[in-house]
Amino acid sequence: MHRRTALSVSAALLAAAPLLTACGSDAHPGAAAVVGGQRIEVSSLQAQVEDVRAAQQASPNASQLIRETGDLSRRKLHDMIFDRVAAKVAEDNGITASRAEIQQARGEFVRQSGGEQQLRAALLQQRGVAPDQVDEVARRAVLMNKIAAKLGAGNTPEGQKKLTDAFSQASKELRIDVNPRYGSWDDEKIQLATYTAPWVRQISQTAPEAGA
C-alpha cells in the first residue's frame, strides 16, 4: 500500500439524542451489546458519551456540536463494536499495534490538522471524539492500515471487497448481540443497522480537511 493510500485509510476511519438509561435486554441485563461473549456495559457506553458531551459543553459552539453529532449513543456503540471486530481480524492475521505506532499515527494526524488543538477540535466536531479518545482513533487507524496491507487490499473495489469479506466473517464469528433499544448489528455492512456509517465507503474517501 502506498503511503498516501495508507494515510487516507487512517483519516477516513477516525468514526444530540438524550442518553438512553438502558436496563439491557432480557438476555443480557445491563449490556448495550455482547461481542464474542464479552459484554459492552451500558455504563461503559454512557461514560464515553458523557466524556464527549463534557468536551462539547466546554466549547463556545456547544449547541452546534451537540446537534451535529446526532445520536451519540449509537455512534459510540458502533465504534466500540467495530473496534472489537477489527481486533479479531487483526488477531486472526497476527497483527498488533504498538504504542510507538499509535503515537506515530497520532503525530501524523496532528501534522495533517495543523496542530494538536486543531486535531482535537476537528475530531470533536466531525466525529464526536473527546480529547482523551484520540489515541483510540489512532490505534484503529494503525490496525486498519496493517490489516489492509496484510490482505493486499488497496484503495480499489477489489480491495474493499477483501476488507469487507474479512470483517464480515469476523463479525459473524463474534455472534454480536445488540440491546434492541440501540438497534441491531448488520454483519454484512459491519455496522449498527440504525447508524448510517458505511465504513467501506469511508475507506475509499480521500483524507478529509483538517485531518478529520
Side-chain angles (χ1 to χ4, degrees), residues 44 49 54 101 110:
S44 297
V49 172
E101 289 171 327
V110 169

Side-chain angles (χ1 to χ4, degrees), residues 16-22 32 40-58 62 65-67 69-80 123-124 127-133 182 192 195:
L19 278 175
L20 299 173
T21 54
I40 296 177
E41 302 290 350
V42 171
S43 58
S44 297
L45 172 60
Q46 289 182 337
Q48 287 218 8
V49 172
E50 290 168 359
D51 199 14
V52 174
R53 291 300 188 217
Q56 290 174 332
Q57 290 290 354
L65 288 177
I66 292 171
R67 183 172 63 252
T69 47
D71 190 343
L72 192 55
S73 293
R74 288 184 174 87
R75 179 191 292 249
K76 301 308 284 188
L77 181 58
H78 165 87
D79 288 348
M80 294 171 81
L123 288 178
L124 182 63
R127 301 289 178 179
V129 174
D132 62 359
Q133 297 170 356
Y182 297 103
L192 275 176
Y195 174 59

Side-chain angles (χ1 to χ4, degrees), residues 12-208:
L13 283 171
L14 289 182
L19 278 175
L20 299 173
T21 54
C23 61
S25 64
D26 291 340
H28 307 287
V34 178
V35 183
Q38 301 298 312
R39 296 161 59 92
I40 296 177
E41 302 290 350
V42 171
S43 58
S44 297
L45 172 60
Q46 289 182 337
Q48 287 218 8
V49 172
E50 290 168 359
D51 199 14
V52 174
R53 291 300 188 217
Q56 290 174 332
Q57 290 290 354
S59 168
N61 301 318
S63 297
Q64 179 182 355
L65 288 177
I66 292 171
R67 183 172 63 252
E68 290 180 350
T69 47
D71 190 343
L72 192 55
S73 293
R74 288 184 174 87
R75 179 191 292 249
K76 301 308 284 188
L77 181 58
H78 165 87
D79 288 348
M80 294 171 81
I81 295 173
F82 181 87
D83 282 345
R84 295 192 182 196
V85 177
K88 176 169 175 51
V89 176
E91 182 179 4
D92 290 346
N93 286 277
I95 291 169
T96 59
S98 70
R99 183 65 183 170
E101 289 171 327
I102 292 170
Q103 289 306 304
Q104 182 179 3
R106 178 168 180 155
E108 182 61 28
F109 293 152
V110 169
R111 186 193 66 78
Q112 291 177 344
S113 302
E116 179 71 28
Q117 293 304 315
Q118 291 88 334
L119 172 64
R120 292 184 179 187
L123 288 178
L124 182 63
Q125 178 179 356
Q126 300 173 21
R127 301 289 178 179
V129 174
D132 62 359
Q133 297 170 356
V134 176
D135 277 358
E136 286 305 307
V137 174
R139 181 177 186 277
R140 186 183 310 144
V142 170
L143 289 179
M144 289 301 301
N145 281 332
K146 295 176 82 170
I147 289 169
K150 182 68 176 288
L151 297 179
N155 193 18
T156 64
E158 294 78 11
Q160 291 179 21
K161 186 175 187 307
K162 287 182 179 179
L163 286 177
T164 302
D165 290 347
F167 275 74
S168 179
Q169 181 60 36
S171 182
K172 291 173 183 176
E173 292 176 5
L174 288 171
R175 302 178 64 87
I176 298 165
D177 180 17
V178 176
N179 185 318
R181 71 178 58 222
Y182 297 103
S184 60
W185 185 259
D186 189 323
D187 289 323
E188 299 301 326
K189 294 183 178 180
I190 332 294
Q191 67 179 39
L192 275 176
T194 52
Y195 174 59
T196 305
W199 67 275
V200 173
R201 179 173 61 81
Q202 289 178 327
I203 285 178
S204 68
Q205 295 173 343
T206 57

